[in-house]
Amino acid sequence: MNSRWGFFKSITVRNQAQPQLFPSISSPFSRGILGVVLGITILAGVSGCTPPELPENEVTETQPAPEEEFDNSLTLDDVTLEQANEKGELLWRVQSKQASYSKDNRIAKVTKPVGELFRDGKLLYKVQAEVGEVYQDNKRIVLRDNIVATDMDQGLVLRGNFLEWIVDQEILVVRNGVTGEHEDLNFLASEVQAFNREKRIEFWNQVTVNVKDPVVQLRTDHVIWEWDQEKLIADRRVEVDRYQDETVTDRGVAGEAIIDLKTQFADLKKNVQVALSEPPLQIASNQIKWHYEDGKIGSPQAITIIHREEQVTVTANQGWGDLKEEQFDLVGNVVGIGQKRQSQLNTEQLTWSVSQQQFQAQGNVVYRQIDPPLTLMGDQAVGQFSNDTIVVSRGSSGGQVVTEFVP
């Protein structure tokens, strides 16, 4: 038996004078399907790792509509349900192998649903599931088990075990072991909320996002994907791994991060630590800007760089480095410490060749060494951290005085 059930303007029970488009269909469910359109408010605040709350009468994946609410006498096979707006534009359409209706005529329970979700008549998503419910009063569609939702604009395919479409807000929620596939990235999450009007998708709880080219992985509990801006935003602790030939080469940890997929640029903030394999450096700052594909890294704030093998630590007010050239430029209160010989270099500017452990220092250079005790001062210096060889010069104004120490 084929039947088409209209929602909203398609089949109308009128609170005010309205045209009735399909008067020949007279099911109790279809007569009661208009109801009052409820306003739906999404709470904007988020706390911890908890997604923002949806409407108070939200149906969860663990609370399907009770069986006793349904009247088995109101069951039809091969049913198409749909709803249109005031302009006659489709809001959604659901085809079902079988549909049964609640005793109060406000819920349709559907089997093997295949649906289409629209905005202003334009197709946004195609969805399918094993079972589901269509709710009249709060204008929602809930689908369960083996969910597949395809974003027709972005080509994003979401899979999970619970889906909710909030019609008036155009918000799609997928929960319970969510995976997603896209040409630019794929991901895992406990919950996904897609805000179509704002052009963003939020991933919640135990989130892993894999960017495909270049290969970068994010791990955190909340990621916002602004797909129009091509940005990933993590607003809490996040780990960022850079891969080369399926091997992690570099890793960053931060309190928050913005990843620009177009420019391949990561802006890491709050207690940032970046560990690099080549050269073998540990970099720390409260903000690190990392062009992970071009191999550029640095900070406009206080920065600490540790060479793990040579046991050299350099700090400065700010600094920038070219990882391919293995060279750093540091400025402002620069301090270089060599652990092997307990030596310290203070200066205003430092150019450091990491691979050769050579440096050039300019401005108020002070070099100190414990064994044997030695202090050298000058305007500029060149030397090596690895063997503490240093040449300090007082410059032309100081009479070309040069002091050289070779241990």
Side-chain angles (χ1 to χ4, degrees), residues 81-83 90-95 114-128 134 139-143 147-153 158 163-167 170-174 194 196:
L81 308 176
E82 64 183 26
Q83 179 182 353
L90 274 178
L91 295 175
W92 55 264
R93 178 191 292 123
V94 175
Q95 295 175 315
V114 175
E116 296 173 313
L117 311 177
F118 299 83
R119 179 176 66 187
D120 301 327
K122 178 185 177 182
L123 179 61
L124 297 179
Y125 299 98
K126 289 186 176 181
V127 297
Q128 64 184 64
V134 178
K139 302 185 72 172
R140 292 180 308 153
I141 298 172
V142 173
L143 304 180
I147 301 296
V148 179
T150 303
D151 184 319
M152 303 308 294
D153 281 338
L158 299 171
L163 179 148
E164 183 173 10
W165 173 246
I166 303 173
V167 178
E170 296 172 9
I171 298 173
L172 184 76
V173 180
V174 182
N196 198 273

Side-chain angles (χ1 to χ4, degrees), residues 6-251:
F7 281 67
F8 196 48
K9 290 288 186 176
S10 296
I11 291 294
T12 305
V13 173
R14 293 169 288 178
N15 293 328
Q16 300 176 352
Q18 298 174 340
Q20 190 167 355
L21 300 183
F22 294 110
S24 60
I25 300 178
S26 57
S27 160
F29 183 68
S30 63
R31 290 198 304 270
I33 208 62
L34 175 60
V36 178
V37 178
L38 299 181
I40 298 176
T41 302
I42 300 299
L43 300 182
V46 295
S47 176
C49 298
T50 303
E53 295 180 6
L54 295 174
E56 292 182 359
N57 56 352
E58 172 192 6
V59 177
T60 71
E61 59 267 41
T62 58
Q63 294 178 324
E67 292 290 340
E68 59 269 18
E69 291 185 0
F70 288 83
D71 185 349
N72 292 332
S73 65
L74 295 175
T75 300
L76 294 173
D77 297 327
D78 297 325
V79 176
T80 296
L81 308 176
E82 64 183 26
Q83 179 182 353
N85 61 18
E86 292 86 350
K87 298 178 182 179
E89 299 168 331
L90 274 178
L91 295 175
W92 55 264
R93 178 191 292 123
V94 175
Q95 295 175 315
S96 173
K97 293 291 185 183
Q98 188 176 76
S100 56
Y101 308 104
S102 62
K103 295 176 181 179
D104 61 4
N105 305 319
R106 296 182 181 275
I107 304 172
K109 186 174 182 180
V110 291
T111 302
K112 297 288 185 181
V114 175
E116 296 173 313
L117 311 177
F118 299 83
R119 179 176 66 187
D120 301 327
K122 178 185 177 182
L123 179 61
L124 297 179
Y125 299 98
K126 289 186 176 181
V127 297
Q128 64 184 64
E130 297 295 324
V131 295
E133 301 99 40
V134 178
Y135 292 80
Q136 170 206 350
D137 286 347
N138 50 12
K139 302 185 72 172
R140 292 180 308 153
I141 298 172
V142 173
L143 304 180
R144 308 173 193 276
D145 302 330
N146 297 325
I147 301 296
V148 179
T150 303
D151 184 319
M152 303 308 294
D153 281 338
Q154 302 303 315
L156 174 66
V157 180
L158 299 171
R159 301 179 189 273
N161 285 292
F162 178 87
L163 179 148
E164 183 173 10
W165 173 246
I166 303 173
V167 178
D168 288 345
Q169 300 293 322
E170 296 172 9
I171 298 173
L172 184 76
V173 180
V174 182
R175 301 194 189 106
N176 194 355
V178 185
T179 64
E181 299 174 2
H182 184 266
E183 63 178 0
D184 295 328
L185 54 84
N186 55 49
F187 64 86
L188 304 171
S190 296
E191 178 171 328
V192 172
Q193 298 175 354
F195 299 84
N196 198 273
R197 292 178 183 174
E198 293 83 4
K199 297 183 179 180
R200 80 177 192 271
I201 297 177
E202 299 193 22
F203 311 117
W204 288 92
N205 296 326
Q206 298 179 340
V207 180
T208 298
V209 179
N210 294 299
V211 181
K212 295 181 180 180
D213 186 23
V215 180
V216 175
Q217 183 181 88
L218 279 71
R219 296 182 303 280
T220 184
D221 277 320
H222 182 217
V223 173
I224 301 170
W225 178 22
E226 295 182 346
W227 69 73
D228 199 41
Q229 301 296 320
E230 298 187 50
K231 291 182 179 180
L232 297 171
I233 302 170
D235 59 2
R236 57 206 64 197
R237 187 183 186 277
V238 58
E239 296 181 2
V240 182
D241 287 351
R242 173 75 168 97
Y243 280 78
Q244 192 74 36
D245 298 327
E246 301 183 355
T247 301
V248 177
T249 58
D250 311 310
R251 172 169 295 172

Side-chain angles (χ1 to χ4, degrees), residues 147-397:
I147 301 296
V148 179
T150 303
D151 184 319
M152 303 308 294
D153 281 338
Q154 302 303 315
L156 174 66
V157 180
L158 299 171
R159 301 179 189 273
N161 285 292
F162 178 87
L163 179 148
E164 183 173 10
W165 173 246
I166 303 173
V167 178
D168 288 345
Q169 300 293 322
E170 296 172 9
I171 298 173
L172 184 76
V173 180
V174 182
R175 301 194 189 106
N176 194 355
V178 185
T179 64
E181 299 174 2
H182 184 266
E183 63 178 0
D184 295 328
L185 54 84
N186 55 49
F187 64 86
L188 304 171
S190 296
E191 178 171 328
V192 172
Q193 298 175 354
F195 299 84
N196 198 273
R197 292 178 183 174
E198 293 83 4
K199 297 183 179 180
R200 80 177 192 271
I201 297 177
E202 299 193 22
F203 311 117
W204 288 92
N205 296 326
Q206 298 179 340
V207 180
T208 298
V209 179
N210 294 299
V211 181
K212 295 181 180 180
D213 186 23
V215 180
V216 175
Q217 183 181 88
L218 279 71
R219 296 182 303 280
T220 184
D221 277 320
H222 182 217
V223 173
I224 301 170
W225 178 22
E226 295 182 346
W227 69 73
D228 199 41
Q229 301 296 320
E230 298 187 50
K231 291 182 179 180
L232 297 171
I233 302 170
D235 59 2
R236 57 206 64 197
R237 187 183 186 277
V238 58
E239 296 181 2
V240 182
D241 287 351
R242 173 75 168 97
Y243 280 78
Q244 192 74 36
D245 298 327
E246 301 183 355
T247 301
V248 177
T249 58
D250 311 310
R251 172 169 295 172
V253 179
E256 59 185 49
I258 299 177
I259 310 295
D260 191 316
L261 301 176
K262 183 184 299 184
T263 62
Q264 301 168 349
F265 172 81
D267 190 357
L268 311 177
K269 296 181 180 180
K270 296 183 180 179
N271 301 318
V272 185
Q273 299 276 345
V274 175
L276 307 173
S277 60
E278 192 60 42
L281 300 177
Q282 188 85 18
I283 304 176
S285 179
N286 211 40
Q287 180 180 16
I288 289 180
K289 297 177 179 292
W290 181 16
H291 287 271
Y292 47 83
E293 180 66 7
D294 292 341
K296 305 289 177 52
I297 194 168
S299 176
Q301 301 187 31
I303 185 172
T304 299
I305 305 172
I306 300 174
H307 195 296
R308 297 189 295 269
E309 294 179 357
E310 296 296 336
Q311 300 179 38
V312 173
T313 301
V314 179
T315 63
N317 288 350
Q318 54 186 299
W320 303 91
D322 187 323
L323 301 180
K324 294 180 180 179
E325 297 295 330
E326 298 192 12
Q327 179 172 303
F328 279 81
D329 292 301
L330 301 110
V331 296
N333 296 318
V334 182
V335 179
I337 297 175
Q339 296 293 335
K340 292 181 179 179
R341 295 181 180 272
Q342 295 296 299
S343 61
Q344 178 174 315
L345 174 72
N346 294 67
T347 185
E348 294 178 359
Q349 298 182 34
L350 183 74
T351 298
W352 179 21
S353 175
V354 177
S355 58
Q356 299 179 10
Q357 285 302 301
Q358 295 179 348
F359 63 83
Q360 295 179 352
Q362 290 185 339
N364 297 322
V365 177
V366 179
Y367 174 81
R368 295 183 179 90
Q369 178 181 290
I370 294 178
D371 186 19
L374 180 68
T375 299
L376 301 173
M377 293 181 290
D379 295 326
Q380 56 191 16
V382 295
Q384 288 186 304
F385 284 121
S386 58
N387 57 12
D388 288 324
T389 299
I390 185 170
V391 176
V392 178
S393 171
R394 293 190 183 278
S396 58
S397 62

